[in-house]
Amino acid sequence: MTPQVVVDGLISGALIGLGAIGLTLTYSILRFANFAHGEFVTFGAYAALALSAVISSQVGVSGEALEPFSISLALVLAVPLAMALTAAFALALDHLLFSRLRGKSEAISVVMASFGASLAIRAAIEFVFTSRPSYFNRELQIAQPIGFGLKATPNQLAMLVVAVALTTGVYLLLARTQLGRSMRAVSENPSLARVAGVDVERTIRFTWALGGALASAGGVMAGLLVQIRPFMGFDLLLPMFAAAILGGIGSVPGAFVGALIVGLAEALTVQLAGAEWRAAVAFVALVGVLLIRPTGIAGRAA
Amino acid sequence: MSAPPILAVEDLVAGYEPGLPIVNGVSMHAADGEIVGVLGPNGAGKSTLIKAMAGLVATSRGKVRFGGRDITKTPAHLRIRGGLAFTPQTENVFTSMSVDDNLKLAAGLLPAPRRPSRIAAMFETFPDLARQRTLLAGRLSGGQRQMLAIARALLIEPKALMLDEPSAGLSPKAVSAVFASLAEIRKTGVTIVLVEQNAKAALAIADRAYILVQGRNRHEGLASALGSDPMIAALYLGGAGTEDAA
């Protein structure tokens, strides 16, 4: 086993973390497991791909890589737009589908609806972009030494910084702002939140938008690390759930730490047992947490 | 009564399931600065009535008026913003949030410059909470939670405060403290509607009271008159004239 596994695990954990944060917030505030969350990741990656192409060709912004990264200025500009577009997409999905079921049907109906939405969105993305993988950039990046015998590409280091910055931002939003307090209040007791003056519907809309935007950032990271495929989000769904549950539902730092643990465990497994066992790691982590500590690392008892 | 009612309920029908009303045509009112008790045996619909007034239970008939406006269809979060505060019987604080954050959440309804002074005023009114401000509300005692719930409701300087059984589950000492604070609150001119099982404590501070039975008005009158009527006390108030309810 080489120490490089730590870098690989942390990078993959960071992108799982961005998705897991949205998932954990949606779960704690709307009280259902959104199986379409992976499609926000995919939608975000394709949105960034399409927008960067438009920015590059129509606005004339350079599509050339910004050294030492393999990321173009067009993509840097496209990412916030893609995050906003994915936020709008998540809001639209809630408005068209989930809000109609909220409070009127069993929780399992909403979960099943999210399954259906996941299939439909994935099929639509595949229809538009085909199942052939796409790439933000085909340039090969060489991993550079970063000390302690470890190596990382400039892209990987940038992603880690962005993921930590976004996670810290969301944590501070929840801990320090009025909107964050409203989200925590709705998560704990929606009925009490209403009589405390919280606009619960507005808080729910914000949660969707935030979850969508973070998933989009995770999608761009996944696209930069590997490739962009219609199944990329679906493949990340189980690790995201494992991270959210491992971290404790509703906890942002918990979801990110959970994701880093899942990422590290996956990287370790690939090195020790082979890549074919990678997908089993999230399952084992999920079952293990549910058996040993169902409330997760930072979760509170129901 | 000289002052016009600030809060009024007219022929209200409310419940949790369509066609199964718990409150079945109740009318009541509270004048500015008054303390009004809503009493009655278990299952009388007292809590459902007050929840419907707060906007948490659907109404199928009748009206709720506040400050002269019909608020029957107004969402719950806009009722509190309009000055009609409510503290539920149980789960009345956000247990996973600190005492400070519980109050800051309420302060968010005020303009930013007023928030610190209102939070400071609440800590002055409830010094016990000031000593626990960084503690999670879930770790407070029952009495302290009730105080925090009342502080959260009062922070926005409401015109009326509705309380659902503030004595429920509290020790006799805590009940005394809660009712003493209600007596102080009324001095600030806030109208109080008090749903209570502990009829003796409620009648001791109320000006008037309504007695509900099976979702309907049964008696109403001055608190002193209702409290001293042995028949009413024995039939509807669990012997309110002689002992405390739990």
Side-chain angles (χ1 to χ4, degrees):
Chain A
M1 191 185 86
T2 68
Q4 184 59 31
V5 76
V6 176
V7 175
D8 297 343
L10 289 179
I11 302 289
S12 116
L15 77 90
I16 294 170
L18 290 180
I21 290 170
L23 201 61
T24 205
L25 289 177
T26 324
Y27 198 114
S28 70
I29 288 179
L30 294 147
R31 291 175 171 74
F32 85 97
N34 177 23
F35 282 85
H37 197 77
E39 274 53 55
F40 295 160
V41 172
T42 314
F43 182 94
Y46 277 105
L49 183 71
L51 285 166
S52 65
V54 170
I55 290 171
S56 176
S57 64
Q58 304 296 315
V59 188
V61 173
S62 169
E64 295 297 309
L66 296 165
E67 294 293 336
F69 309 103
S70 72
I71 304 162
S72 68
L73 180 60
L75 180 59
V76 171
L77 296 175
V79 170
L81 295 176
M83 288 170 77
L85 199 63
T86 313
F89 179 67
L91 280 171
L93 188 65
D94 179 54
H95 181 70
L96 292 172
L97 184 63
F98 299 125
S99 71
R100 292 163 197 268
L101 299 170
R102 213 161 25 240
K104 292 176 192 151
S105 48
E106 299 288 325
I108 191 70
S109 311
V110 193
V111 174
M112 287 298 136
S114 79
F115 261 122
S118 162
L119 281 170
I121 296 164
R122 205 180 321 134
I125 289 173
E126 200 166 357
F127 181 75
V128 175
F129 292 95
T130 78
S131 57
R132 196 184 307 158
S134 305
Y135 299 87
F136 286 117
N137 192 308
R138 286 177 185 274
E139 268 183 40
L140 204 60
Q141 277 214 313
I142 308 294
Q144 310 287 330
I146 55 169
F148 306 104
L150 303 174
K151 285 181 175 180
T153 66
N155 273 8
Q156 288 177 327
L157 292 177
M159 285 177 214
L160 206 52
V161 169
V162 169
V164 170
L166 285 173
T167 306
T168 309
V170 176
Y171 173 73
L172 291 175
L173 172 100
L174 281 173
R176 304 272 175 88
T177 69
Q178 190 60 18
L179 190 57
R181 278 188 281 272
S182 297
M183 288 171 73
R184 285 188 283 150
V186 174
S187 160
E188 184 182 324
N189 186 339
S191 184
L192 181 61
R194 282 181 210 280
V195 294
V198 175
D199 186 342
V200 172
E201 288 304 316
R202 179 173 160 267
T203 308
I204 287 173
R205 285 197 297 274
F206 181 79
T207 306
W208 278 114
L210 183 64
L214 290 173
S216 168
V220 173
M221 283 176 65
L224 280 166
L225 271 182
V226 195
Q227 54 187 202
I228 308 167
R229 298 176 296 113
F231 271 80
M232 63 189 289
F234 182 75
D235 291 345
L236 281 170
L237 193 63
L238 188 61
M240 289 192 298
F241 267 117
I245 293 170
L246 179 59
I249 288 297
S251 166
V252 168
F256 197 72
V257 171
L260 294 182
I261 293 171
V262 170
L264 284 168
E266 281 188 352
L268 203 63
T269 306
V270 168
Q271 196 164 89
L272 295 177
E276 68 272 26
W277 292 98
R278 183 187 191 113
V281 173
F283 265 121
V284 172
L286 200 56
V287 171
V289 175
L290 291 174
L291 282 176
I292 298 163
R293 190 177 158 86
T295 55
I297 300 168
R300 58 178 190 264
Chain B
M1 184 189 65
S2 55
I6 185 169
L7 182 60
V9 168
E10 299 163 11
D11 192 26
L12 201 72
V13 176
Y16 301 92
E17 299 284 336
L20 288 173
I22 309 289
V23 172
N24 209 346
V26 169
S27 297
M28 61 157 286
H29 67 266
D32 213 358
E34 217 182 8
I35 297 187
V36 173
V38 179
L39 313 172
N42 274 332
K46 308 183 295 291
S47 285
T48 308
L49 170 69
I50 204 168
K51 283 181 188 161
M53 291 164 76
L56 291 180
V57 172
T59 58
S60 55
R61 199 181 76 199
K63 288 198 186 318
V64 181
R65 291 186 193 279
F66 179 59
R69 286 177 45 234
D70 182 355
I71 59 161
T72 317
K73 301 289 177 205
T74 305
H77 71 279
L78 295 181
R79 297 188 194 201
I80 168 84
R81 288 172 190 215
L84 179 59
F86 170 61
T87 66
Q89 177 184 349
T90 53
E91 298 183 0
N92 49 14
V93 296
F94 296 103
T95 54
S96 63
M97 289 163 65
S98 67
V99 168
D100 221 16
D101 273 348
N102 268 273
L103 294 181
K104 280 181 177 167
L105 180 73
L109 302 178
L110 299 170
R114 283 187 59 208
R115 293 173 192 173
S117 64
R118 285 303 300 158
I119 291 175
M122 286 303 104
F123 282 137
E124 204 173 301
T125 311
F126 301 99
D128 213 17
L129 295 179
R131 288 187 283 274
Q132 322 260 24
R133 60 189 300 164
T134 56
L135 196 70
L136 287 183
R139 304 191 66 180
L140 296 176
S141 69
Q144 288 170 330
R145 284 190 197 199
Q146 194 57 252
M147 292 297 189
L148 177 58
I150 293 172
R152 201 195 56 241
L154 285 180
L155 193 137
I156 59 149
E157 297 188 283
K159 297 187 196 85
L161 170 63
M162 304 187 294
L163 302 109
D164 189 3
E165 303 216 21
S167 73
L170 302 190
S171 66
K173 194 178 162 195
V175 172
S176 301
V178 167
F179 278 85
S181 71
L182 293 182
E184 286 300 310
I185 292 162
R186 75 113 37 110
K187 290 179 187 167
T188 64
V190 177
T191 303
I192 296 175
V193 174
L194 183 61
V195 161
E196 255 305 337
Q197 195 74 16
N198 187 342
K200 184 185 175 189
L203 289 172
I205 64 162
D207 299 301
R208 292 185 304 115
Y210 293 83
I211 296 171
L212 307 188
V213 177
Q214 294 182 335
R216 297 174 195 272
N217 289 76
R218 181 61 62 93
H219 294 281
E220 64 179 90
L222 293 174
S224 52
L226 290 173
S228 59
D229 186 326
M231 196 234 359
I232 285 179
L235 279 179
Y236 308 118
L237 307 179
T242 54
E243 58 180 298
D244 277 347

